[in-house]
């Protein structure tokens, strides 16, 4: 009869079971209104339908001005501006009309009367303006797949005008109480009766596990009746729990029923109480036999059923609310306030790294993207880079452990690696990016502040890069040759054909160390052009996407960027040169599970096809790994 | 206009606010079906309507026997029992008929055939029987008031035949989004519009805080319209959140509206983001003005709104899932299993103490009463008393910090102190008891394993007690003189009038160190009676209540006990002597907040009236505190 009880250690039994059931029936997805998706898990990444803000707006109370008309102002030369011509009044959040390009804070306006305003210092173009897409850029991925939706995620999706979201359907767990001695709580108990209460214990626990409990009527100790109820529950639910009858007594049928209709993997765990648990499956769905004594049942629920449900609903579970991490970037803080700094976290060579991200109070994505929060006390002026900090977690620690932290240069390819990695690993592995340009990224990689660094690739011999890696072996995962050039408006109305023309119009720049910035700086150095003469030189965006969005909105005429992004935003493009783009990783980390999974993605055909469809990429060397030994230098 | 922003540190502001609102309108209670009470908070203690088990039942598979007929069995004298006369077959959980009083495990039955069973060793009366009330005794308090109901609590209540439970009504939080620029997610956004998303952020967070969110329609920046919406929400909800309009701008009306209809306590916190929060109340209900920027709003929700809701719904919140504690009693464990040991926790002189409680897998109250669980690995034989252990918390750590751990002698007075203390402090302070008799309790107090020790009081000069406190000052809080005597069945059918008769009948005994046991042992010593000649001498119960229940069920004829319990169970009582009962506490701890609160309860009239109504107590010295200095010895 196979009722011999095993005595398998808990962890071993659970591992064995979770491994066996991982290929059972997968949960289906459904589209639901974003209003109703709290605590559900996304099946697919969610993309923005609208930038946030979707118009340039004032970040301060004050006056919107034309920066050009303020350049001559200083304390000796007070300038008087006329309302509705030279300036308009704006409150925080008010749109900035097309004619204006800077905001002066009300505190910096000398006087304002008779429809004139006096100012005593110039405005830098775009100062105190929250530009289009500062928080969210249209088409940007805002929520990854396999992500449990939190309140801040709903806020971000609504801001991005997302109406529906595809989530996994609710996971139903059927509960079948068995036992001839059982009565309901409404019946009058006689000697020999037991009031059935375990189903309500299970119900409450399952609600806590984020699944949907379904309690079936009590079944007497009758093989065929129990079997019938189990088959019915298997039809209606995603998982079935049979309460009691799991031991070796004369009327314990659970084992034999599961063995008849499916497979018993484990019967008997080395735990006390809870030993006679049965772990099996049938009809492609897990079935667990739970001992009848309430404490035994509770132990099996908490230690077997909970992780099983988490596994099958793609949820992580963990108890850590705080971790210690090394601060990856200096935090400046005011003595006036206790500050709440949002950070991304990475685990690099066994140590957690906390990287502060964009901190504006208006950027809801800072709550979505952040992995944790650091509280900086009121009496502290800042925290030095490299300090150990306490981080309150906003995500599960297990998720952070399996996330590749990328710091470096932005390209749509990285977004694609991220979404494919999540999809291929069923949410096991993720990629989290911070965009600071190639040079800063490589510095972060050297300092063990990230796992990988996406960068435009010069040769390692170049002074630029080799200086960072004199002590360690470094590898380059090649991705693509990409076409760099000038992004201009549709139809190229200003007839811009080369960098010579570019510098004459309103541009938007990239941060230092980015390929676009290096191209521009090399050009203006070679031509001896003064940086201050270029309109927009100081206006830095950190991704190709926000550059394109700025031009699409006519807040700049042109900029250096890449073809794929230009195409995605329906803009025109003048190619100038090609350069290589790839991922730097320390050679010793090439064998990490997460990096190996990422390489699988990079070498897969669906991935390459998706990149090709973006346009402007040469993938002939994609996936090649070049190893450079430290002795190379 | 009062729009000057303060800059109050977060902790100060929150303390000030929680202190001011603690006297606002209290939540009402309602009776609901026990099936529907998950995560709700009890208004009143819940008492058992039925013992669990409510009949004596077998704890093993085997045969039920009459212990007397097995006494002569040994390996040289194998005894043959006849089915249905000398024994019946029983499975685990089967009721034990009145004629039988012990179970022999099937493994210890030599052979069973032809309706006879052969045995080779005697059965001790009541061995392998789960007696009535082993888990829950009828009338016993099973769930305290101000307790958030967990799945195991529901299981215990159903087992105790509780149908309805009085819980606090759901706490409704009204959310009013304000701002002329706001549109719903279904509208088409124009330049200048903002899609309203904060209400959904709040909704999700409030669900997580265990309250009920109510979202009201968007209100434009119009003083009277906002005021009207706030007044309406105050009518319908227990608390109101006004989203945005909390700063000092021209159209920020939140401050002035709260000030007009109620009171603003704080406007401006020293936090970033989140500074312009407004903390006020009106119509006896809290109102909080939340800044409009999403991250600012989130910080205020998590750090102000969450603790406010917890305070007003009597919930605790904490992030610790594990603590380190000192083990108060040795744990024995099997090398065959990983064991899950349920413990009560106390905080004694700054250190957590973990005391293992009853471990039967069938005792659901072990999950209800336990504060935590210790996992003992499979490869460990046990853990020594005094070891440091890791405890997984089942209750909030803050609740444990404010709980008085009592170890000692049981009396209904202690249950009453416990329920009055919880009621008077609105759930702030609790009393948690472990009953081991007076002597073991005093030993625990000496070793800092509990905060107080309820005991029958001999004089400290008596060798029994003084030996324990040679190093420290000890105080006695007098409670009552109580009448000790013999509990017998209604009408005293056996005409038992003194201890001379008691020892001739079936008794039930108490554990060593209890007043009842000392009385009995002194008597039989003085009369030179052999312990083994007394039927039931070895059958120990740890409380007066379970003793009374045993007699009520006719599983014993008489026992030594106290009057109040005898009365509660409708039994008769023959008084023998009086002794004092009180609480021992180290003198240095008399000033602890929790002990002071307990003394307030002991000195209150409602408490004394309730004890008087139990009967059998002389309260003339109740509440007197006698201090003994260590030099006394």
């Amino acid at each position: 009869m196979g009722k011999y009880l095993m005595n398998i250690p808990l962890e071993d039994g659970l591992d064995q079971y979770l491994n066996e059931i991982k290929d059972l029936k997968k949960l289906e997805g459904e589209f639901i209104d974003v209003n109703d998706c709290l605590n559900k898990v996304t099946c697919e990444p969610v993309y923005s339908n609208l930038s946030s803000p979707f118009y340039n707006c004032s970040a301060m109370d004050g006056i919107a001005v034309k920066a050009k008309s303020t350049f001559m102002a200083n304390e000796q030369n007070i300038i008087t501006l006329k309302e509705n011509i030279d300036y308009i009044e704006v409150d925080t959040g008010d749109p900035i009309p097309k004619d204006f390009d800077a905001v002066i804070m009300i505190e910096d306006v000398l006087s304002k009367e008779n429809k004139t305003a006096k100012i005593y210092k110039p405005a830098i173009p775009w100062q105190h303006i929250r530009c289009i897409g500062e928080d969210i850029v249209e088409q940007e991925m805002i929520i990854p797949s396999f992500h449990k939706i939190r309140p801040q995620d709903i806020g971000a999706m609504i801001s991005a005008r997302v109406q529906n979201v595809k989530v996994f359907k609710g996971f139903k767990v059927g509960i079948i109480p068995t036992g001839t001695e059982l009565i309901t709580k409404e019946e009058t108990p006689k000697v020999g009766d037991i009031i059935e209460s375990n189903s309500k214990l299970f119900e409450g626990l399952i609600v806590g596990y984020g699944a949907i409990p379904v309690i079936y009527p009590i079944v007497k100790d009758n093989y065929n009746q129990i079997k019938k109820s189990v088959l019915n529950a298997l039809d209606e639910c995603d998982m079935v729990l049979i309460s009691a009858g799991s031991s070796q007594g004369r009327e314990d049928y659970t084992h034999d029923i599961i063995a008849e209709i499916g497979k018993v993997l484990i019967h008997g765990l080395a735990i006390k109480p809870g030993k006679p648990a049965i772990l099996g499956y049938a009809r492609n769905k897990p079935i667990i036999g739970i001992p009848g004594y309430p404490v035994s049942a509770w132990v099996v629920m908490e230690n077997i059923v909970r992780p099983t449900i988490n596994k099958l609903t793609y949820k992580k579970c963990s108890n850590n609310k705080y971790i210690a991490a090394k601060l990856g970037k200096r935090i400046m803080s005011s003595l006036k306030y206790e500050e709440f700094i949002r950070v991304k976290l990475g685990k690099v060579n066994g140590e957690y790294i906390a990287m502060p991200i964009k901190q504006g109070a208006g950027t809801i994505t800072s709550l979505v993207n952040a992995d944790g929060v650091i509280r900086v006390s009121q009496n502290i002026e800042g925290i030095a880079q490299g300090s150990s900090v306490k981080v309150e977690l906003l995500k599960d620690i297990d998720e952070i452990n399996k996330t590749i932290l990328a710091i470096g240069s932005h390209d749509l390819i990285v977004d694609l690696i991220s979404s494919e990695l999540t999809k291929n690993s069923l949410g096991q592995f993720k990629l989290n990016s911070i965009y600071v340009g190639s040079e800063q990224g490589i510095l972060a990689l050297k300092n063990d502040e990230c796992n990988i660094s996406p960068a435009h690739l010069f040769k390692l011999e170049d002074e630029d890069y080799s200086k960072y890696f004199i002590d360690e072996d470094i590898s380059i995962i090649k991705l693509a040759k990409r076409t760099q050039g000038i992004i201009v408006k549709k139809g190229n109305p200003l007839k811009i054909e080369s960098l010579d023309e570019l510098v004459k119009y309103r541009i938007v720049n990239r941060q230092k160390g980015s390929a676009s910035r290096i191209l521009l700086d090399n050009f203006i150095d070679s031509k001896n052009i003064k940086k201050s003469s270029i309109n927009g030189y100081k206006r830095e965006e950190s991704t190709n996407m926000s550059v394109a969005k700025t031009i699409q909105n006519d807040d700049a005429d042109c900029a250096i960027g890449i073809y794929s992004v230009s195409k995605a935003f329906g803009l025109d493009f003048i190619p100038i040169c090609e350069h290589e783009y790839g991922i730097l990783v320390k050679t010793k980390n090439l064998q990490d599970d997460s990096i190996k999974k990422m390489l699988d993605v990079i070498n897969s055909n669906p991935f390459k096809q998706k990149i090709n469809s973006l346009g402007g990429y040469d993938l002939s060397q994609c996936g090649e790994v070049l190893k450079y030994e430290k002795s190379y230098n």
Side-chain angles (χ1 to χ4, degrees), chain A residues 407-570:
Chain A
I407 300 186
S409 161
H410 176 262
D411 192 290
L412 292 173
I413 298 179
V414 182
D415 290 348
L416 259 181
I417 294 175
S418 169
S419 61
E420 291 290 303
L421 177 65
T422 307
K423 198 172 116 194
N424 289 2
S425 66
L426 294 176
Q428 278 268 309
F429 292 101
K430 299 196 176 178
L431 189 148
N432 221 328
S433 308
I434 298 174
Y435 297 118
V436 296
S438 298
E439 196 175 336
Q440 292 299 316
I442 289 169
L443 206 59
L445 183 67
K446 175 194 178 272
N447 292 335
D448 275 340
E449 287 159 14
C450 61
N451 306 105
I452 61 169
S453 183
H456 59 272
L457 302 174
F458 302 116
K459 289 216 172 60
L460 271 186
E461 305 92 293
D462 288 356
E463 191 195 9
D464 275 355
Y465 287 5
S466 60
K467 64 185 174 197
Y468 299 125
F469 295 100
I470 48 173
D471 292 333
E472 280 176 292
D473 299 344
I474 185 82
S475 290
I476 291 175
I477 302 164
K478 291 205 173 190
L479 292 173
K481 283 207 184 84
R482 61 182 186 181
T483 310
Q484 187 113 20
I486 304 171
I487 302 179
V488 296
K489 260 166 264 165
K490 186 85 197 157
N492 195 2
L494 297 171
K495 306 282 172 231
I496 297 165
E497 297 299 340
S498 71
L499 294 178
D500 293 298
E501 284 118 25
L502 174 122
V503 295
K504 294 177 187 155
Y505 294 100
R506 293 180 306 152
I507 71 160
V508 51
N509 207 346
R510 291 285 309 280
Q511 80 278 41
K512 273 190 189 158
S514 66
S516 301
R517 176 68 165 261
I518 292 172
L519 187 61
L520 179 64
D521 285 354
N522 285 346
F523 173 75
I524 61 179
D525 284 352
S526 71
K527 301 268 175 169
N528 265 322
I529 297 169
K530 267 179 72 181
K531 287 170 183 172
S532 60
S533 72
I534 302 173
N535 184 339
Y537 183 87
K538 285 200 169 169
R539 188 176 177 192
E540 292 180 2
E541 293 287 345
S542 61
T543 66
N544 276 296
M545 283 184 85
S546 33
V547 160
K549 189 71 205 168
T550 306
I551 294 170
Q552 191 191 44
N553 194 51
D554 194 21
D555 294 331
D557 299 313
C558 51
I560 295 176
I562 56 173
Y563 174 73
S564 60
V565 168
S566 160
K567 184 183 169 206
F569 280 80

Side-chain angles (χ1 to χ4, degrees), chain A residues 375-391:
Chain A
R375 287 169 76 142
V376 184
S377 307
Q378 204 177 335
N379 58 348
I380 285 178
E381 266 190 291
I383 305 176
Q385 184 175 348
S387 304
S388 175
V389 286
K390 180 177 165 194
V391 183

Side-chain angles (χ1 to χ4, degrees), chain A residues 277-295:
Chain A
I278 303 173
L279 281 52
Y281 55 89
R283 310 255 164 124
N284 230 346
K285 295 171 180 177
I287 308 181
I288 297 182
I290 318 264
Y293 272 149
V295 186

